[in-house]
Amino acid sequence: MTAHERRATLEISDPDISFQAGFGFYLGVAVTGIAAAVGTAAGAATATLLGILPSVVTCVAILGHILAKRAYGLPERIGRSRWRRLACYLPAVALTALVAAPAVVAVDLSARFQLVVGVFALLTAVSAYGLDRMSRNRYVAALTPEESAANWEYHPAGISPGECIFVAIMGLVVVFGLISAAAGNGQGLIWAFYGILIFLTSHRGPGSWNELDPGDRWNPPELRAHEAGLVHKRPFARKFIPWNAITDVRLTDDELVLERRWFGRFTSRWLDVRCDREAIEPDAESLRDALDRVRRPETNQLRDGRAADGGASVPERSTATETTADPDAAAELETPE
């Protein structure tokens, strides 16, 4: 069985207390938001809503806590599929659609209705995001229960996608500031100056994009190589990249590059995982060799044909019988920020 044919095993356990509480809170907020929309549309008094809605939140949250406790493997089942995680946001989308309905169709909704439903739409979206992240973290942990074959701090090489988004936002601030100033609003110049100033101070000086200072970041993200794939671990989030999405691992003068395929088809430099070589020296070559070994356990050979001796150890194959059957799990994972 080759590395591209390996199927990752799952070690599922009972939902922990944090997930039970998070699922219960999400369910309580979503159901209460729907109840608030119905009650406000029916003309219920504010005092009535304030008396009923807190009880609804509490009762449904307790019920959701009990359901989550008895639903064996629930976080892993949600976290393994992109579509199931997106389904968590459906109540928030429905409530947002109710708020935005007057702008699309000829319907008369009171400002009170839009305010109440808008608040619950925001709360539901936040709780859905928390449930999404908790489920994905637990799914990745279930995929990679063994010790990692190699791990290192992740210092992206070059400009990351997050920094590109930052540049775009600052560019929009400058553009809209100049447009506002041209329309006669003097405060637009302040916004334009602010955008330019933030861009320049981020691009130059200590801690700038092109300067590597491993000690400058508190609790930096890590990359961990497991039998199933690569885990991008941050303080409150984990992302998973299966080995069949990694087409090559190579070293350049400046970077350790893990070339990626997105959804098994698309390749691009922006999708690759690129680590600054300076941050992993003097172990860059041994790290590259360890990654080769864990990607190709059936041959245990290095790319130059030498026998693989020393370096990081490769964990033993798991004998568990449950495998990831969802195709979304194999295509999972956005490019790490």
Side-chain angles (χ1 to χ4, degrees):
M1 179 180 292
T2 65
H4 289 267
E5 294 171 344
R6 283 182 292 172
R7 296 175 67 85
T9 59
L10 282 175
E11 290 196 4
I12 296 176
S13 59
D14 292 326
D16 58 273
I17 188 68
S18 298
F19 180 83
Q20 296 171 27
F23 183 81
F25 178 76
Y26 162 78
L27 203 61
V29 171
V31 172
T32 305
I34 297 173
V38 173
T40 307
T46 302
T48 302
L49 293 177
L50 292 177
I52 295 177
L53 295 183
S55 300
V56 175
V57 172
T58 303
C59 294
V60 177
I62 294 174
L63 178 62
H65 189 287
I66 296 173
L67 291 175
K69 183 178 181 180
R70 297 187 177 184
Y72 179 77
L74 178 61
E76 291 82 4
R77 288 198 296 270
I78 297 175
R80 75 193 301 176
S81 169
R82 180 182 294 105
W83 296 110
R84 290 172 188 163
R85 296 202 310 273
L86 289 176
C88 298
Y89 297 92
L90 288 179
V93 172
L95 293 175
T96 303
L98 289 176
V99 176
V104 180
V105 297
V107 60
D108 186 19
L109 296 177
S110 65
R112 174 171 171 263
F113 175 88
Q114 291 182 303
L115 175 62
V116 172
V117 177
V119 169
F120 276 100
L122 179 61
L123 292 175
T124 305
V126 172
S127 59
Y129 176 75
L131 181 64
D132 176 358
R133 175 160 290 190
M134 285 193 298
S135 300
R136 184 169 60 180
N137 289 350
R138 282 153 180 78
Y139 170 68
V140 174
L143 271 179
T144 56
E146 79 284 353
E147 290 293 329
S148 59
N151 62 279
W152 67 101
E153 289 186 1
Y154 178 43
H155 295 269
I159 300 178
S160 68
E163 289 166 339
C164 291
I165 295 173
F166 169 79
V167 171
I169 292 175
M170 289 299 102
L172 290 175
V173 170
V174 174
V175 169
F176 284 112
L178 293 176
I179 293 175
S180 178
N185 186 357
Q187 292 183 352
L189 291 176
I190 298 177
W191 283 107
F193 176 76
Y194 170 80
I196 295 173
L197 180 64
I198 294 298
F199 174 80
L200 292 178
T201 54
S202 300
H203 191 60
R204 299 180 182 277
S208 64
W209 300 338
N210 298 323
E211 178 181 343
L212 174 67
D213 184 4
D216 186 56
R217 296 196 294 178
W218 174 74
N219 204 3
E222 287 185 338
L223 291 176
R224 298 182 176 182
H226 291 265
E227 177 192 9
L230 190 70
V231 175
H232 178 211
K233 182 178 182 298
R234 292 180 292 173
F236 301 103
R238 295 183 183 184
K239 294 182 179 181
F240 176 75
I241 305 174
W243 287 124
N244 59 10
I246 303 292
T247 58
D248 190 24
V249 178
R250 55 188 173 84
L251 274 175
T252 67
D253 293 337
D254 303 315
E255 302 172 345
L256 170 66
V257 182
L258 288 80
E259 295 183 352
R260 288 188 58 202
R261 290 184 300 178
W262 207 22
F263 297 108
R265 300 178 182 177
F266 309 106
T267 58
S268 170
R269 185 184 189 280
W270 294 100
L271 300 176
D272 298 340
V273 180
R274 295 177 174 268
C275 309
D276 196 305
R277 181 165 180 166
E278 183 181 350
I280 56 178
E281 289 287 11
D283 301 322
E285 292 188 2
S286 61
L287 176 58
R288 191 274 313 278
D289 293 343
L291 292 175
D292 274 345
R293 285 194 294 272
V294 74
R295 288 176 64 225
R296 301 184 178 92
E298 74 285 353
T299 61
N300 199 32
Q301 296 291 320
L302 304 182
R303 66 174 67 241
D304 59 4
R306 292 180 290 111
D309 53 353
S313 60
V314 179
E316 295 183 358
R317 300 288 300 276
S318 173
T319 58
T321 58
E322 184 170 356
T323 61
T324 57
D326 197 317
D328 286 333
E332 188 64 16
L333 223 45
E334 306 83 0
T335 304
E337 293 83 358

